[in-house]
């Protein structure tokens, strides 16, 4: 396997103040730490903090050599002024003033306007990849209008690659079959804890030559700590007891092999040949360093064998 850090990407929803406020200096330090560690893939979206993540990421990258990093953003949610938002915070999980609101728009015009606004916030002349963001309830417009608009921009050389990013694999599989995507970003559906994308989706992407980026590999925090607490989240909600129990059993196996749940979750995501990159979020320098350190040495094959023997890992899963 190639150096996994070269395939590691920084996701920026935490830099958009997801759940908790992060200062400008803290956000800059996260990007700087990622860069210093060798990370060259950066993913963002207008949705993250109503544009805050894009502005912070752009500011941190503006003096970096543009040809040395890959930057992706997303379309599908236009940000429009919201006079009624004065004096309150965003109600979609981000600790930012609600001076803007999101409007779903997967029209061709909406895609172009969204990308233009993203470039303005980023302060950069181009992005490398554009994903349709969570088009779950907008299939017809997304595949009929947004994807052709992105394909035209790709043909014109405005963007390098196009795709879709979602928390489910079924509709992503439809995009792979029915549109001309280069890349897909799947969040939370191919992790050490659960692999619903294994049987059909990942082989399909491999067959079609579509790059897969795995995000949400810690299942919204559940796999990020060796000692799994009772009040941990899973899919951004309180984790069910059976899920917590399964994570603790996996953690115990990791401990027996001298490693951690976090390290196993990261290495696992890189194990499938269809997965070309892994996106992780961080809100502090220490988190970036911990993730990179976890990838400094491969894990023992005996770990994966015991997880299979204990029924904690599908026998069909390819591992690093």
């Amino acid at each position: 396997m190639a150096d996994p850090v070269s395939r590691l990407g920084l996701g920026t929803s935490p830099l958009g103040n997801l759940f908790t406020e992060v200062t400008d200096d803290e956000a800059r330090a996260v990007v700087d730490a990622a860069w210093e560690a060798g990370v060259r893939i950066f993913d963002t979206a207008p949705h993250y903090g109503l544009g805050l993540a894009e502005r912070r990421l752009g500011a941190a990258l503006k003096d970096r050599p543009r040809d040395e990093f890959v930057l992706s953003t997303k379309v599908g949610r236009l940000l429009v002024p919201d006079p009624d938002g004065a004096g309150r915070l965003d109600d979609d999980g981000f600790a930012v003033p609600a001076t803007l609101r999101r409007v779903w728009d997967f029209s061709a015009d909406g895609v172009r306007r969204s990308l233009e606004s993203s470039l303005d916030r980023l302060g950069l002349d181009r992005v490398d990849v554009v994903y349709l963001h969570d088009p779950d309830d907008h299939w017809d417009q997304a595949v009929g209008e947004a994807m052709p608009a992105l394909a035209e921009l790709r043909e014109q050389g405005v963007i390098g690659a196009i795709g879709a990013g979602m928390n489910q694999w079924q509709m992503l599989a439809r995009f792979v079959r029915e549109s001309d995507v280069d890349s897909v970003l799947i969040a939370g559906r191919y992790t050490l804890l659960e692999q619903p994308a294994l049987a059909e989706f990942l082989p399909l992407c491999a067959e079609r030559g579509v790059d897969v980026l795995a995000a949400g590999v810690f299942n919204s925090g559940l796999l990020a700590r060796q000692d799994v607490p009772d009040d941990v989240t899973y899919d951004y909600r309180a984790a069910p007891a059976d899920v917590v129990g399964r994570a603790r059993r996996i953690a115990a196996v990791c401990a027996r092999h001298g490693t951690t749940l976090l390290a196993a979750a990261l290495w696992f995501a890189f194990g499938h040949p269809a997965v070309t990159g892994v996106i992780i979020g961080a809100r502090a320098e220490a988190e970036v360093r911990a993730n990179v350190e976890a990838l400094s040495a491969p894990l023992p094959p005996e770990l994966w064998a015991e997880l299979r023997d204990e029924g904690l890992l599908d026998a069909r899963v390819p591992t690093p």
Side-chain angles (χ1 to χ4, degrees), residues 227-256:
D227 297 319
V228 182
D230 291 332
D231 61 350
V232 72
T233 56
Y234 167 73
D235 275 356
Y236 306 103
R237 296 183 294 273
D242 62 325
V243 172
V244 172
R246 183 178 179 85
R248 286 173 175 165
R249 290 178 62 199
I250 296 172
V253 175
C254 291
R256 286 197 288 275

Side-chain angles (χ1 to χ4, degrees), residues 24-97:
D24 288 343
D25 287 344
E26 289 168 334
R28 178 59 184 262
V30 166
V31 179
D32 288 348
W35 186 275
E36 289 162 11
V39 172
R40 295 294 184 270
I41 301 170
F42 299 91
D43 178 71
T44 190
H47 171 54
Y48 304 155
L50 295 171
L52 179 62
E54 287 185 318
R55 291 194 297 273
R56 284 174 162 172
L57 181 61
L61 292 177
K62 68 181 179 66
D63 294 325
R64 311 287 188 184
R66 183 61 188 88
D67 291 337
E68 292 187 13
F69 62 88
V70 173
L71 174 65
S72 58
T73 192
K74 305 181 184 76
V75 296
R77 292 172 171 90
L78 282 174
L79 303 182
V80 300
D82 186 4
D84 295 332
R88 64 177 177 84
L89 292 179
D90 175 49
D91 59 4
D92 212 348
F94 294 89
V96 294

Side-chain angles (χ1 to χ4, degrees), residues 137-156:
D137 299 322
H138 307 272
W139 165 259
D140 288 341
Q141 190 177 51
V143 76
E145 299 182 42
M147 195 57 76
L150 289 181
E152 183 178 346
L153 291 170
R154 181 184 58 189
E155 185 176 342
Q156 294 169 352

Side-chain angles (χ1 to χ4, degrees), residues 178-203:
E178 301 178 36
S179 71
D180 186 23
V181 293
D182 304 296
S183 176
V184 289
L185 195 159
I186 184 167
R189 303 286 77 83
Y190 189 70
T191 73
L192 182 60
L193 188 69
E194 57 165 315
Q195 303 94 42
L198 176 65
E200 180 180 344
F201 176 67
L202 292 176

